[in-house]
């Protein structure tokens, strides 16, 4: 089966300094792929390249087998690529409902978007008139995911979903992410701390200093090697 999203030998730079040195990654529909690595390894840059928000110096970005290298991020979004950035990207002063309402630009009705959101995250229905900024961190992340789902994504890119959240909350969020993938979405998850996501990931890649040092099934010894890979990176 063709990968829904593929990065082929992607190099990318910040201010002329190369930070990704040839990243290869495949994410298939229905799969959760974890992109792990220490601080500054290049994970966020790789996600931004995948969303068309950061240019690749070389290499190719493929969507459903089609070469979309250099495509405008709006065109990639229209083709089903949805990035949920670190920090969640919800509007804190707007209510839950209005945060969802903004997603009607996708062509879906408000009712449909709310139905999808509240079916997956019932607590959001209870909080619908509450300002997003007053939700708990986990609820804000649910709202961010619900906004992403409103775009009917083919590819969901999640940056540090666990940031600042209690392990139990993270575990619950990842159960939902796994469920979203099971419905046919290709999910690429960036995390620095791997424990929660490895439980649901079908495949994991560890990036260290802009290179994939190791990839494979999360059970295949990769979990045990992580600390050595991370420690090695700071030496
Ligand atoms: P983190 O978990 O800290 O976000 P990361 O693995 O996502 O780490 P990136 O944010 O992709 O890593 O950063 C990769 C490298 O690029 C780092 O050395 C970082 O300092 C550098 N970098 C990232 N963003 C910028 C920027 N806007 N300007 C200059 N350098 C940057």
């Amino acid at each position: 089966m063709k990968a829904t999203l593929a990065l082929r030998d992607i190099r990318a730079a910040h201010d002329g300094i190369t930070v990704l040195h040839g990243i290869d990654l495949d994410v298939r529909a229905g799969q959760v792929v974890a992109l792990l690595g220490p601080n500054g390894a290049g994970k966020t840059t790789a996600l931004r390249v995948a969303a068309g928000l950061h240019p690749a110096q070389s290499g190719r970005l493929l969507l459903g087998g089609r070469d979309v290298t250099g495509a405008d991020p709006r065109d990639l979004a229209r083709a089903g690529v949805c990035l949920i950035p670190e920090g969640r990207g919800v509007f804190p002063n707007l209510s839950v409902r209005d945060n969802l309402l903004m997603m009607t630009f996708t062509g879906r009705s408000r009712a449909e978007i709310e139905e999808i959101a509240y079916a997956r995250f019932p607590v959001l229905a209870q909080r619908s008139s509450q300002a997003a900024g007053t939700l708990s961190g986990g609820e804000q992340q649910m709202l961010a995911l619900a906004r992403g789902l409103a775009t009917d994504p083919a590819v969901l890119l999640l940056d540090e979903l666990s940031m600042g959240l209690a392990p139990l909350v993270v575990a619950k969020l990842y159960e939902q992410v796994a469920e979203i993938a099971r419905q046919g979405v290709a999910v690429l998850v960036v995390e620095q701390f791997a424990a929660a996501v490895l439980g649901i990931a079908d495949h994991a890649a560890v990036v260290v200093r802009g290179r994939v040092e190791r990839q494979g099934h999360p059970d295949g010894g990769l979990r045990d090697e992580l600390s050595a890979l991370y420690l090695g990176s700071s030496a």
Side-chain angles (χ1 to χ4, degrees):
M1 191 175 72
K2 230 183 282 170
T4 303
L5 175 75
L7 275 63
R8 293 276 177 267
D9 201 17
I10 288 285
R11 293 168 62 86
H14 286 287
D15 302 331
I17 298 167
T18 302
V19 297
L20 296 182
H21 302 272
I23 298 281
D24 284 297
L25 209 57
D26 278 26
V27 193
R28 295 174 203 286
Q31 238 191 0
V32 177
V33 173
L35 186 60
L36 308 171
N39 210 336
K43 305 179 298 294
T44 297
T45 305
L47 275 196
R48 289 176 55 80
V49 168
L53 293 166
H54 191 94
Q57 287 174 303
S58 62
R60 290 190 309 145
L61 179 68
L62 306 173
L63 194 60
R66 195 163 59 94
D67 194 329
V68 292
T69 317
D72 189 282
R74 282 166 297 191
D75 291 333
L76 289 180
R78 250 174 248 128
V81 178
C82 174
L83 170 68
I84 299 187
E86 194 180 320
R88 293 154 202 160
V90 299
F91 294 88
N93 297 325
L94 297 182
S95 67
V96 167
R97 249 183 132 223
D98 287 347
N99 265 279
L100 293 172
L101 173 68
M102 291 177 71
M103 302 310 287
T104 50
F105 80 88
T106 56
R108 285 189 167 182
S109 71
R110 173 182 199 140
E112 202 182 348
I113 289 169
E114 285 192 86
E115 194 182 310
I116 294 166
Y118 301 156
R120 185 160 301 286
F121 304 110
V123 70
L124 293 181
Q126 294 163 28
R127 306 262 188 272
S128 61
S129 54
Q130 205 171 310
T134 67
L135 300 176
S136 71
E139 288 163 356
Q140 287 186 36
Q141 193 60 268
M142 288 177 201
L143 180 57
L145 281 168
R147 282 168 51 86
L149 289 180
T151 67
D152 194 16
V155 177
L156 196 54
L157 307 169
L158 303 175
D159 199 355
E160 301 269 1
L161 179 127
S162 69
M163 183 69 86
L165 302 178
L168 203 64
V169 175
V170 175
K172 289 210 166 119
L173 281 168
Y174 272 127
E175 274 171 31
Q176 291 299 326
V177 169
E179 182 58 35
I180 290 166
R182 273 196 287 276
Q183 289 174 357
V185 180
V187 183
L188 179 59
V189 180
V190 155
E191 282 287 358
Q192 186 174 346
F193 300 103
V197 68
L198 282 184
I200 59 142
D202 301 289
H203 187 84
V206 186
V207 187
V208 180
R209 288 196 214 93
R211 289 189 168 82
V212 177
E213 290 288 339
R214 172 86 162 82
Q215 57 179 314
H217 193 274
D219 289 341
L222 186 138
R223 199 186 286 261
D224 303 329
E225 286 173 43
L226 273 175
S227 53
L229 285 166
Y230 280 31
L231 288 174
S233 76
S234 59

